[in-house]
Amino acid sequence: MGVYRTPDARFDNLVGYPFAPIYFEPVGDLDGLRMHYLDEGEGKPILLLHGEPTWSFLYRKMIPPLAQTNRVIAPDYVGFGRSDKPTDISWYTYDRHVDSIVQLLEHLDLRDATLVVQDWGGPIGLRVAVEHPERFANLVILNTGVMRPGPSWPSPAFLQWRDFAEKNPDLPVGFIIQASTVTDLPPEVIAGYEAPWPTAESKAGVASFPLLVPLSEDDPGAREMVATGDALTGWGTPVLVAFSDSDPIFPQSAGERMAGRIPGARFHPISGASHFLQEDKGEEIAQVIADFLG
């Protein structure tokens, strides 16, 4: 299997991202790969899971304020950020991404953690949470869903995105991020998002994610996503659902419905933000999370 390792120089002097890299090596199907994560601050852990086509750079505005009172862990999935990148698109599966996060939890022995998920962080992280509830004290759900096939999913907006990704495996990451934010991003921020993927072969993981979303009940991952959604309806710890007001894929109404299905979940709208609300309103969201945690 071919593996691309992004040169360290690509991550030098990234705007707003001064964090020291840490690596560990998962085992099993992930044996031989290096996975990157950030580990900042002290206190009860907060685990930040990114989506597609982003990496831990997405959380750079949120990490410093959250790390003032908590230990903040932000990994890069295999194929993303500073983690190793298998170059065969067929290598990437939903189960492997879930397994990598479970192994990170065990490697760090995280307990009493707050899980923060967005985009693909939702299907990955929420499945991890319901399968390992003993490790989590709180859930924070931002602009995501478990993407279970049904009458309301997949949405027309998602199908358009999937079609674009399938036809353009060398995805224009910076263009996608800019199109998914309200903020007019300066060139140095766009460069930060693009830093992990300087070649087409390095983008296999990025290209794979839209194709991993199950479109029918028979597709791989569909059963697990349905089970995750069902388990959340009986979730017993505090949940904050915060969706932005300008996301065409996960509209605010979807967040309100999600909060209504999870016992005791609190809904908080985020104004003036699009799909990547961490980029548009990162500092505000960090404060909302801090208030939620008390």
Side-chain angles (χ1 to χ4, degrees):
M1 176 182 69
V3 176
Y4 184 88
R5 180 170 290 178
T6 307
D8 287 342
R10 294 280 301 180
F11 303 99
D12 289 345
N13 302 315
L14 295 184
V15 60
Y17 192 84
F19 313 110
I22 308 173
Y23 299 95
F24 90 109
E25 295 184 1
V27 297
D29 281 353
L30 303 162
D31 187 37
L33 297 172
R34 191 176 73 168
M35 189 170 176
H36 168 258
Y37 65 97
L38 304 176
D39 195 339
E40 300 285 327
E42 298 180 354
K44 290 186 177 181
I46 299 176
L47 178 63
L48 307 175
L49 296 186
H50 67 82
E52 144 82 358
T54 60
W55 58 293
S56 53
F57 184 78
L58 177 69
Y59 284 105
R60 71 193 186 283
K61 297 178 181 179
M62 296 174 58
I63 292 171
L66 291 175
Q68 291 179 11
T69 53
N70 290 85
R71 179 186 179 190
V72 182
I73 297 97
D76 295 328
Y77 306 133
V78 173
F80 291 74
R82 298 189 79 142
S83 295
D84 283 348
K85 302 168 180 67
T87 56
D88 181 357
I89 193 172
S90 67
W91 181 91
Y92 295 89
T93 67
Y94 179 36
D95 286 347
R96 279 182 170 140
H97 282 302
V98 169
D99 182 42
S100 72
I101 299 303
V102 171
Q103 290 198 47
L104 179 63
L105 284 174
E106 294 171 346
H107 173 71
L108 298 175
D109 194 24
L110 298 185
R111 297 183 183 276
D112 202 23
T114 295
L115 174 66
V116 180
V117 299
Q118 188 262 337
D119 191 85
W120 256 101
I124 294 170
L126 295 175
R127 177 180 166 190
V128 170
V130 302
E131 293 180 358
H132 302 271
E134 72 282 357
R135 293 191 178 270
F136 296 97
N138 307 281
L139 302 180
V140 178
I141 304 172
L142 312 172
N143 288 41
T144 189
V146 292
M147 297 188 284
R148 55 193 294 171
S152 61
W153 186 266
S155 66
F158 172 77
L159 290 175
Q160 291 178 0
W161 157 237
R162 187 183 191 278
D163 182 63
F164 175 81
E166 190 170 20
K167 293 176 180 176
N168 299 275
D170 185 6
L171 285 172
V173 172
F175 173 81
I176 293 167
I177 300 297
Q178 180 61 89
S180 304
T181 55
V182 171
T183 310
D184 187 14
L185 303 179
E188 59 269 25
V189 170
I190 295 292
Y193 281 109
E194 293 181 334
W197 301 285
T199 67
E201 69 166 354
S202 67
K203 295 181 181 179
V206 175
S208 72
F209 256 148
L211 309 182
L212 295 182
V213 176
L215 303 183
S216 74
E217 294 180 355
D218 297 324
D219 285 346
R223 183 179 62 182
E224 291 80 5
M225 290 192 187
V226 169
T228 297
D230 290 344
L232 287 173
T233 64
W235 189 257
T237 65
V239 179
L240 171 67
V241 180
F243 274 43
S244 61
D245 60 355
S246 301
D247 185 348
I249 296 178
F250 294 103
Q252 200 165 94
S253 58
E256 293 170 344
R257 289 194 299 271
M258 175 178 284
R261 291 193 296 267
I262 303 174
R266 181 189 312 174
F267 181 76
H268 186 98
I270 304 294
S271 300
S274 188
H275 181 63
F276 293 118
L277 63 171
Q278 303 98 312
E279 180 62 48
D280 285 325
K281 295 287 184 175
E283 296 92 342
E284 177 183 329
I285 296 167
Q287 185 61 56
V288 169
I289 294 173
D291 292 344
F292 168 65
L293 298 179

